[in-house]
Amino acid sequence: MTKPISLLEIAHNIVGSYVAPGDISLDATLGNGHDTVFLARSIGIGGHVIGFDIQPQALVNSFQRLLQHDLQRRVTLRLASHADMLLHVPKQWHGRVRAVMFNLGYLPGADKAVITQIDSTLAALNAACVLLAPRAVITVLAYPGHAGGELETEQLAAWSQRLDQTCYTTEVILSSHDKPAAPRLFVIRKQADLL
Ligand code: SAH
């Protein structure tokens, strides 16, 4: 049987259809650096990625992964909450960010007590909307199955419904295991400027 495509792969396919060489993009939750490596490849030598995490281990893991692929020069890693991303993204890039990727929950292989929190997640999403270019995308991989994850996913859904529908569209993609606790991918697309 062929392996079903994962939500992570779907997120990469969608983000890949937005990001072009020279673009700026953000990894809001570095974790083990898979999304950062993907973004760094997509933006080419002329682009840049800024990645955030609050755990030093995530920065170490991500940096090692970038080194393996010789992509470290295209990426800035910040030991900071994604809620503060407006302070870390240079002013000249505000309104120019093509993609922001979130992968919620805990860092695989580390302390499972350190998880994303709804207040900072929503603050980061609001900041991401300020930073986005016209025709841009935010992806959020959410895990309702772990403690706190269900509420976070519900609030995320409510947040996305409050977005200005003339400017943003939201799609929720469920994983192939159709259980209430299964992970889901939120895709928030910002429209191109209307002429
Ligand atoms: N994208 C990763 C998995 C992310 S795990 C991968 O592909 O491997 C979620 C990460 O979010 C953890 O590393 C955790 O430390 C981080 N995190 C939790 N709260 C955060 C915050 N406020 N700002 C930035 N990162 C945060």
Side-chain angles (χ1 to χ4, degrees):
M1 206 174 88
T2 47
K3 198 164 156 268
I5 179 165
S6 71
L7 290 182
L8 193 69
E9 287 170 282
I10 295 174
H12 286 182
N13 288 343
I14 292 171
V15 170
S17 72
Y18 278 80
V19 176
D23 277 346
I24 309 298
S25 61
L26 309 179
D27 185 349
T29 51
L30 282 166
N32 288 319
H34 298 287
D35 292 337
T36 286
V37 164
F38 164 76
L39 289 170
R41 282 207 179 101
S42 309
I43 49 93
I45 341 174
H48 205 77
V49 178
I50 305 177
F52 300 89
D53 209 291
I54 52 170
Q55 297 193 73
Q57 191 59 47
L59 272 73
V60 171
N61 295 355
S62 300
F63 192 67
Q64 281 171 350
R65 202 173 287 278
L66 288 164
L67 278 179
Q68 281 166 12
H69 300 276
D70 194 25
L71 291 167
Q72 66 282 1
R73 281 180 293 275
R74 304 176 187 184
V75 180
T76 302
L77 301 178
R78 289 279 186 233
L79 183 64
S81 171
H82 43 219
D84 296 326
M85 62 171 73
L86 285 178
L87 302 175
H88 294 276
V89 175
K91 273 262 156 41
Q92 70 269 25
W93 290 347
H94 290 202
R96 282 196 51 204
V97 172
R98 188 69 61 198
V100 185
M101 300 189 75
F102 290 78
N103 194 336
L104 303 181
Y106 55 82
L107 174 61
D111 183 356
K112 291 193 179 166
V114 183
I115 55 169
T116 49
Q117 304 286 333
I118 188 62
D119 288 350
S120 40
T121 302
L122 293 187
L125 284 162
N126 286 326
C129 287
V130 173
L131 294 171
L132 286 185
R135 198 189 161 274
V137 69
I138 302 173
T139 58
V140 189
L141 196 43
Y143 302 86
H146 69 76
E150 189 181 348
L151 190 63
E152 189 176 36
T153 308
E154 273 171 24
Q155 299 215 16
L156 176 60
W159 173 85
S160 68
Q161 281 158 18
R162 289 194 300 271
L163 285 171
D164 176 358
Q165 308 290 316
T166 57
C167 208
Y168 297 94
T169 59
T170 303
E171 181 187 5
V172 184
I173 302 174
L174 301 176
S175 72
S176 48
H177 339 277
D178 189 19
K179 296 192 194 114
R184 63 204 57 188
L185 176 68
F186 289 78
V187 182
I188 298 120
R189 298 168 195 268
K190 184 176 174 188
Q191 312 299 324
D193 277 341
L194 300 173
L195 290 174

